[in-house]
């Protein structure tokens, strides 16, 4: 029998999905701040945490190589935080490609899903916590 004061270790990792859908550098920085803070919090407790950032609509600019206002910081995340991943909405990429005459380049290491909102719904259905900072 364990005592109630014993620290509890999660058998499953904590799972957080962060939504970025606004072309607002302050919100993009907030998403990265939340990811870093949550990662540090659970790592400090000895728990595993998986974090995914899903970008669509205006928020996709966060993941674009030629215009991300948070590119340097995002590159640092990709290098130093393997528990944080970034997903771009394919529909938004296609819309931009039509509008701009070319598909804008993603930062290396970003994955693409067909429909960003559907990806968030699928994660929610698997008991991920969805947050829009």
């Amino acid at each position: 029998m364990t005592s109630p004061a014993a620290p509890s270790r999660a058998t499953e990792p904590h799972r957080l999905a962060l939504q970025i859908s606004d072309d607002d550098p302050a919100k993009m920085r907030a998403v990265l701040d939340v990811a870093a803070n949550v990662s540090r919090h659970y790592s400090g407790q000895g728990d595993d945490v998986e974090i995914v950032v899903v970008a669509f609509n205006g928020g996709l600019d966060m993941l674009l190589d030629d215009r991300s206002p948070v590119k340097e910081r995002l590159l640092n995340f990709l290098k130093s935080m393997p528990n944080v991943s970034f997903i771009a909405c394919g529909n938004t990429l296609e819309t931009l490609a039509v509008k701009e005459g070319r598909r804008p380049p993603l930062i290396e290491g970003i994955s693409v899903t067909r429909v960003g909102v559907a990806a968030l719904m699928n994660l929610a259905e698997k008991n991920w916590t969805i947050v829009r900072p």
Side-chain angles (χ1 to χ4, degrees):
M1 216 160 109
T2 60
S3 74
S8 67
R9 281 192 50 98
T11 54
E12 290 278 316
H14 301 278
R15 293 183 172 101
L16 172 65
L18 297 167
Q19 170 187 329
I20 181 71
S21 54
D22 298 310
D23 180 12
D24 179 347
K27 288 187 180 182
M28 294 174 189
R29 286 190 297 274
V31 163
L32 295 175
D33 290 344
V34 170
N37 291 339
V38 169
S39 183
R40 272 195 299 271
H41 172 77
Y42 284 112
S43 296
Q45 293 183 349
D47 286 351
D48 291 329
V49 61
E50 295 175 25
I51 301 169
V52 63
V53 175
V54 179
F56 60 95
N57 291 343
L60 188 73
D61 279 9
M62 177 181 182
L63 307 182
L64 298 180
D65 194 44
D66 60 353
R67 69 188 84 160
S68 173
V70 293
K71 181 177 177 179
E72 291 307 313
R73 191 163 174 216
L74 198 145
L75 289 170
N76 287 332
F77 266 78
L78 290 167
K79 279 186 229 165
S80 64
M81 299 185 79
N83 63 322
V84 180
S85 58
F86 298 86
I87 300 174
C89 174
N91 281 344
T92 304
L93 274 173
E94 288 174 26
T95 299
L96 285 173
V98 169
K99 190 168 118 182
E100 299 176 8
R102 68 173 180 99
R103 181 175 160 150
L106 288 170
I107 292 170
E108 192 174 328
I110 305 298
S111 58
V112 178
T113 188
R114 186 167 175 174
V115 180
V117 173
L120 286 168
M121 292 173 67
N122 289 336
L123 292 170
E125 290 162 4
K126 293 175 184 164
N127 295 320
W128 283 61
T129 300
I130 311 295
V131 174
R132 181 181 180 202

